[in-house]
Amino acid sequence: MIREVHPIEVESYRRLRARLDTSHFPPLTRSVVERVIHSAADLEYASDLVMDEGELEKAHAALHGGAPVVVDVEMVAAGITRRETVCRLRDAVAGAGLTRSAHAVRLAYEQVGPGALWVIGNAPTALEELLTLDAAPALVIGLPVGFVGAVESKAALRESGLPAVSNVSEKGGSAVASAALNALLYHPVPPSEETS
């Protein structure tokens, strides 16, 4: 994918790197950290985000190989550029012990099956529900925001052993979740992967 970068974005990254040295991060981790910081203008994400470079490499290959991308809300979908996403929130219904967001995750899993990239930036209950499924995700970007359940759901994601991008604090949201996915989407595909 050839992406034309706007001069404002170029200057924004220049200023970000002038204030924060990200050169010690491995390539995909650096891409995610910088894009999340860029989306929120919050340098604290550099020490708040948790991810593994090897997992990001596999997720990057899956994403560029056509794996489905599932999002918890339309705001996350709106932030993901140049890629179709699956969001089933409009079809979901809350029930006894099940939020609408959790039901949407069930519906999405029924649609896409295992191997998808899941991007959750809004609802901790969506992340909690995903962890109960045998979704075998390529990656879970679990960055829900809030004072109720967000920290706990992200801790549960890290404890699950699933390949993930998360953060430790209550911070998160649609913009940062979609930014993390876009970082993988925009990162160049190695020539060996392009031909295979």
Side-chain angles (χ1 to χ4, degrees):
M1 167 190 314
I2 297 172
R3 179 174 171 265
E4 189 174 327
V5 181
H6 194 280
I8 292 173
E9 182 176 333
V10 172
E11 176 60 14
S12 181
Y13 270 78
R14 188 196 66 74
R15 292 183 188 191
L16 183 162
R17 290 171 181 150
R19 294 176 63 184
L20 178 72
D21 180 10
T22 60
S23 64
H24 63 284
F25 289 116
L28 287 166
T29 300
R30 182 180 187 187
S31 291
V32 172
V33 168
E34 288 184 345
R35 190 146 296 276
V36 166
I37 289 171
H38 174 261
S39 73
D42 186 343
L43 298 174
E44 290 180 3
Y45 274 109
S47 58
D48 192 37
L49 287 164
V50 179
M51 68 198 92
D52 175 81
E53 184 72 7
E55 292 175 353
L56 292 179
E57 288 170 359
K58 291 176 185 171
H60 181 260
L63 178 64
H64 289 276
V69 176
V70 181
V71 299
D72 63 333
V73 294
E74 293 290 347
M75 285 180 66
V76 173
I80 295 172
T81 56
R82 301 182 184 198
R83 187 61 186 263
E84 292 296 318
T85 61
V86 173
C87 182
R88 296 298 301 275
L89 191 60
R90 290 178 189 223
D91 305 316
V93 180
L98 189 70
T99 66
R100 199 167 147 237
S101 294
H103 185 226
V105 165
R106 288 187 188 179
L107 294 173
Y109 178 63
E110 289 170 7
Q111 180 178 337
V112 302
L117 287 89
W118 292 78
V119 188
I120 298 174
N122 186 60
T125 58
L127 183 52
E128 291 165 1
E129 184 63 24
L130 179 59
L131 296 178
T132 70
L133 303 174
D134 189 20
L139 184 70
V140 179
I141 296 174
L143 295 169
V145 63
F147 296 115
V148 179
V151 167
E152 296 83 357
S153 67
K154 291 181 275 194
L157 172 60
R158 290 189 299 277
E159 290 165 12
S160 75
L162 293 174
V165 173
S166 69
N167 68 309
V168 177
S169 73
E170 296 96 346
K171 294 190 293 191
S174 299
V176 297
S178 59
L181 192 280
N182 283 339
L184 298 179
L185 199 57
Y186 299 160
H187 196 84
V189 176
S192 61
E193 289 179 26
E194 287 178 344
T195 58
S196 43

